[in-house]
Amino acid sequence: MAGLSISGVSKGFGSVRVLKEISLEIEDGEFLTILGPSGCGKSTLLKILAGLETQDSGSIFLGKRQLDGLRPKHRDVAMVFQSYALYPHMTVAGNIALPLRMRRLKTWQRLPLLGALLPGTAAIRKAIAAEVSRVAAALGIDRLLDRKPAQLSGGQRQRVAVGRAMVREPAVFLMDEPLSNLDAKLRVQMRAEIKELHRRLGTTFIYVTHDQTEAMTLSDRVVVMADGEILQVARPQDIYADPCDLRVAEFVGSPKINIIEGRMHRDGLIDVAGLRLPVDVTAAAGARILIGVRPEALGLAEPGSNDVISGRVRLIEHMGSDVFVHVEMPGASGLFVVRLPLERTSGIQLGELLELGLRPGQLLFFDADGRRIRTSSSVTRIERRAFG
């Protein structure tokens, strides 16, 4: 077993550059998720790793073995497709066994009648059947081996597709949005099963999705992509709490992060929504600063507090134990969303002016181009300021 190394991989279709100099090191046994919106290039990258597409430039290594130019069956990788790609005329057993049959049986040994009579065929077929049974039992589908795909539920078809990949015992599993066709309840169940499967096998998993919940719950590390580029590679908790780019901050998190515009007063002071925030941010006076505020970084202001921002309530969403309050805030891009516990929202009415207290240590700062501005220390005080 060995890690996977991607170096300077680019790909274009006509005049459209889908991947732009992608470089990435994936550790042996790691569960790595590639996360991004539709069209960002994540599925194209996965197909290049599988050998289904050819990159225009760059190299891919599995350990010390270069994969460039190798056919898919020689790469020691297995891919699970979004559509499952099961053969409808084959049984579950036949679908799982197919990679082994193609690898171990010669062309004439695969013939339905004559092949069974050839020397050695029976022993090979018996060994294949035993491996299929072992994999099916591990996935809990051993009672379905005689069924056709049309007789299976979505979750069962997903297990068959995983089983067909497992039986090859690859060095790397590639999964292209494998849960997107399942309902919400089944997705939760299958996430747990895939995580447990990775734990048991200890094999490298590369998982592509646009669903941030899948990325955050399954992964050792997350790669966030946009417009054919890698924006950030980090642990799930760091992607959320410490994004390096505004696009990462906006893509990860539900509800979406709130963005409000501020102006640099002078070094260390930012004017925003009637407040002056002292922070260790250096920029030219008057420079536009974008401030990211997660919904949980806001709370109802205590009576008599000065460190508040005010906005008018436009929408209230009850989500069970939490309530999302949408507030119209001067300087904000869209409505501000505040996550509050149910017991704190009983008196809130549509149209009222709500005073909110900031949690300064959780604020994120970005420049006008969306690049993260990091602070060496958190806000120490907040001064109320009236604007004309």
Side-chain angles (χ1 to χ4, degrees), residues 67-361:
L67 301 186
D68 305 330
L70 293 182
R71 298 177 64 184
K73 66 179 182 180
H74 296 142
R75 293 192 171 214
D76 201 15
V77 303
M79 188 160 178
V80 179
F81 295 90
Q82 178 180 353
S83 61
Y84 315 140
L86 302 178
Y87 290 96
H89 64 285
M90 290 184 178
T91 63
V92 168
N95 271 283
I96 296 175
L98 185 61
L100 298 182
R101 288 173 57 85
M102 298 301 292
R103 180 184 298 175
R104 299 181 186 179
L105 294 173
K106 295 182 173 65
T107 302
W108 51 86
Q109 289 180 309
R110 296 197 294 267
L111 296 174
L113 298 177
L114 181 61
L117 302 176
L118 295 175
T121 302
I124 296 174
R125 289 186 176 185
K126 183 177 180 180
I128 290 174
E131 292 189 41
V132 169
S133 296
R134 174 182 58 82
V135 169
L139 293 171
I141 54 174
D142 45 319
R143 297 182 181 180
L144 308 175
L145 290 175
D146 294 327
R147 295 189 187 181
K148 300 285 183 66
Q151 298 171 298
L152 305 178
S153 68
Q156 290 168 338
R157 292 180 193 178
Q158 182 61 69
R159 290 189 185 93
V160 176
V162 171
R164 186 174 57 190
M166 280 179 61
V167 79
R168 296 176 55 187
E169 298 184 344
V172 180
F173 280 90
L174 307 175
M175 296 189 168
D176 188 9
E177 306 207 42
L179 308 185
S180 61
N181 293 329
L182 305 181
D183 60 47
K185 181 179 179 181
L186 195 52
R187 279 201 301 272
V188 173
Q189 178 184 337
M190 288 303 299
R191 283 204 308 266
E193 292 186 10
I194 289 174
K195 188 68 174 177
E196 173 60 19
L197 178 65
H198 174 256
R199 188 194 66 78
R200 283 193 286 110
L201 297 179
T203 308
T204 304
F205 277 50
I206 303 176
Y207 188 103
V208 159
T209 184
H210 65 273
D211 187 317
Q212 59 176 289
T213 302
E214 293 176 18
M216 301 297 277
T217 56
L218 289 171
S219 314
D220 296 319
R221 287 190 302 158
V222 177
V223 177
V224 183
M225 288 186 64
D227 302 321
E229 298 177 319
I230 291 178
L231 301 181
Q232 187 169 359
V233 184
R235 299 180 305 165
Q237 58 268 41
D238 295 330
I239 290 287
Y240 182 81
D242 192 23
C244 68
D245 189 279
L246 182 60
R247 289 172 292 176
V248 176
E250 289 186 315
F251 192 77
V252 176
S254 182
K256 185 178 177 180
I257 193 171
N258 303 296
I259 303 296
I260 190 167
E261 183 174 324
R263 292 284 171 179
M264 204 70 194
H265 179 72
R266 57 179 173 80
D267 284 356
L269 288 174
I270 297 175
D271 292 330
V272 55
L275 302 177
R276 181 163 291 164
L277 279 64
V279 290
D280 291 333
V281 172
T282 301
R288 179 171 173 257
I289 303 294
L290 300 174
I291 302 171
V293 188
R294 296 285 185 194
E296 63 273 15
L298 291 161
L300 296 179
E302 297 297 329
S305 297
N306 291 322
D307 53 342
V308 300
I309 55 176
S310 300
R312 200 162 297 279
V313 178
R314 296 304 184 197
L315 178 65
I316 301 173
E317 292 183 298
H318 292 274
M319 307 297 290
S321 60
D322 289 334
V323 177
F324 298 157
V325 181
H326 298 248
V327 179
E328 187 176 38
M329 194 81 65
S333 58
L335 295 177
F336 243 52
V337 182
V338 187
R339 185 198 299 266
L340 297 172
L342 179 63
E343 61 271 16
R344 297 294 307 276
T345 61
S346 58
I348 297 177
Q349 301 292 326
L350 288 176
E352 77 168 277
L353 193 65
L354 202 63
E355 292 196 330
L356 301 169
L358 290 168
R359 294 175 182 156

